[in-house]
Amino acid sequence: MLNRRILRIKTFKVLYSSVLSGNMSLSDANTQLELSCEATRDLYIYMLGIVSPLTSIAKEHIESAKRKFAPTEEDLNPNTKFADNSLAVLLDNDPDFTKIFKKRKFSWEQYDIFLKRVLTSVTGKKYYADYMASPESSLAEDCRLFTRIFEEEFVDSTELEQILEDMSIYWNDDLAYALTYVCRTLKSLAKGERWSLPPLYQSDMKTGPGVESDKAFVTRLLQTAITGYSKYSGRVAAAVSNWDNERIVSTDMAIIVLGLAEAVAFPNIPVRVTINEYVEISKYYGTPKSRIFVNGLLDRIIAAMEKEGVIVKEGKGQL
């Protein structure tokens, strides 16, 4: 499930937190990293589990309209296509999904106000009107509708962000990635495939020779960065004239140290790939000038370490 970009981000967060707290224990850092990785998959499960509660809210709305003092013809004979969608039925009857959802003690019950707001927003959209007007009735169409809901209703929701933040400190910044995976799951379900818990790492989803373990990658990356932090941060400070560790933005330092650790620990990863990855991370977690700073420092220090023989790359196209 987790690709190397998000694994690098998680490692950066753990390293940065360790430096900030003054606790550079490798054991504690590994524990935090494992919890953070598992949390992303939990968030994916939690968000996929919103299908049934949203459907229930729609059913409640239909029944409430029928009980009006003076119900309209539409109230008495409503379009129940969404309320009867087969995706909710599928997930509700999937023993594996329901078991793991309950095991995590997840529930949307206490967030009914949020769910009602989401449903109000959805029912006001053109894509919903088109869905309700379509004569087609299939699991595939229901999955397409919920894909639109996941794509358009949650990413910029401050209310949802607050809900997730209160539930887990590890869910910060993971929503977009989790939703992308939810949409991927909906595409599989639309084809008739059964839901199954995705492996935690993308490498676990591949077979055959030459598949490198993502878990081994992220574990080694964190270990190299933690154990070599003083050495690598010293190189960073020395590479900037009239500068010292105290004056370098702490996020930038953690990003650069992690980039150096990766360049040292993984001879099979091209230097340019490593630099580009951490420049991208700096765009989101650094200052407006971090991209240029991180790019320049990594390029210069890695080049120097290659000349010293500290960094040795294997194979063609590694520079």
Side-chain angles (χ1 to χ4, degrees):
M1 178 173 179
L2 303 179
N3 62 27
R4 291 203 173 184
R5 169 68 61 81
I6 197 169
L7 289 175
R8 287 180 173 99
I9 291 173
K10 288 182 176 296
T11 309
F12 153 70
K13 288 183 176 181
V14 171
L15 178 64
Y16 176 68
S17 176
S18 298
V19 174
L20 213 59
S21 66
N23 177 18
M24 295 291 283
S25 163
L26 181 58
S27 176
D28 289 345
N30 275 323
T31 298
Q32 293 303 310
L33 182 59
E34 289 176 7
L35 289 172
S36 178
C37 290
E38 285 286 356
T40 303
R41 185 165 59 176
D42 284 348
L43 178 56
Y44 150 80
I45 294 168
Y46 188 59
M47 290 308 303
L48 184 58
I50 204 173
V51 172
S52 184
L54 272 179
T55 303
S56 295
I57 294 289
K59 290 179 178 179
E60 291 171 10
H61 179 75
I62 289 173
E63 293 305 314
S64 177
K66 289 180 179 179
R67 293 193 296 269
K68 286 181 181 178
F69 178 73
T72 65
E73 180 64 26
E74 185 178 352
D75 291 334
L76 294 173
N77 298 284
N79 183 341
T80 63
K81 185 175 182 179
F82 178 77
D84 295 334
N85 78 82
S86 52
L87 178 60
V89 175
L90 178 70
L91 292 174
D92 285 344
N93 291 321
D94 189 300
D96 294 332
F97 181 75
T98 54
K99 180 180 178 180
I100 198 167
F101 198 84
K102 290 177 181 177
K103 185 178 181 180
R104 297 291 196 277
K105 297 182 179 179
F106 287 154
S107 173
W108 284 97
E109 210 171 297
Q110 64 270 44
Y111 303 117
D112 60 317
I113 295 176
F114 169 71
L115 293 172
K116 289 176 181 178
R117 287 187 183 131
V118 170
L119 187 61
T120 298
S121 176
V122 169
T123 55
K125 299 294 175 61
K126 184 179 183 300
Y127 69 79
Y128 177 82
D130 291 342
Y131 164 83
M132 295 296 281
S134 171
E136 180 185 352
S137 181
S138 66
L139 174 61
E141 188 186 30
D142 294 338
C143 287
R144 286 194 295 270
L145 173 70
F146 273 98
T147 296
R148 292 293 296 273
I149 293 173
F150 281 112
E151 289 175 343
E152 300 189 21
E153 303 298 331
F154 300 127
V155 175
D156 296 318
S157 170
T158 54
E159 189 175 359
L160 177 58
E161 288 177 3
Q162 187 59 57
I163 289 171
L164 299 181
E165 186 177 320
D166 291 343
M167 290 185 66
S168 173
I169 60 173
Y170 297 109
W171 283 354
N172 184 35
D173 297 334
D174 278 2
L175 179 59
Y177 190 84
L179 292 177
T180 298
Y181 217 87
V182 167
C183 291
R184 190 179 303 178
T185 294
L186 295 184
K187 185 179 291 187
S188 298
L189 295 177
K191 296 177 181 177
E193 297 176 19
R194 184 177 174 180
W195 183 85
S196 62
L197 182 66
L200 188 56
Y201 303 99
Q202 279 201 357
S203 61
D204 295 338
M205 302 169 69
K206 303 174 183 177
T207 57
V211 176
E212 298 179 345
S213 167
D214 288 333
K215 182 177 182 180
F217 164 79
V218 73
T219 301
R220 187 177 180 186
L221 177 61
L222 180 62
Q223 178 180 355
T224 306
I226 291 283
T227 57
Y229 187 85
S230 296
K231 176 174 57 180
Y232 298 138
S233 61
R235 278 187 175 270
V236 175
V240 184
S241 57
N242 300 320
W243 217 274
D244 58 48
N245 286 8
E246 298 299 322
R247 294 177 62 194
I248 298 174
V249 177
S250 53
T251 51
D252 289 353
M253 179 64 86
I255 290 170
I256 295 170
V257 165
L258 205 57
L260 296 178
E262 180 172 314
V264 169
F266 300 95
N268 60 323
I269 299 178
V271 166
R272 184 44 54 189
V273 170
T274 294
I275 294 176
N276 288 343
E277 285 293 324
Y278 293 101
V279 168
E280 284 299 312
I281 292 174
S282 72
K283 293 178 182 178
Y284 296 97
Y285 297 98
T287 67
K289 296 182 179 179
S290 290
R291 178 179 62 82
I292 298 173
F293 185 71
V294 169
N295 184 70
L297 264 292
L298 277 177
D299 190 54
R300 192 191 321 170
I301 297 173
I302 288 176
M305 293 172 75
E306 285 182 313
K307 287 183 180 179
E308 297 169 16
V310 177
I311 293 175
V312 179
K313 293 297 178 180
E314 300 174 352
K316 297 181 179 179
Q318 295 295 314
L319 300 182

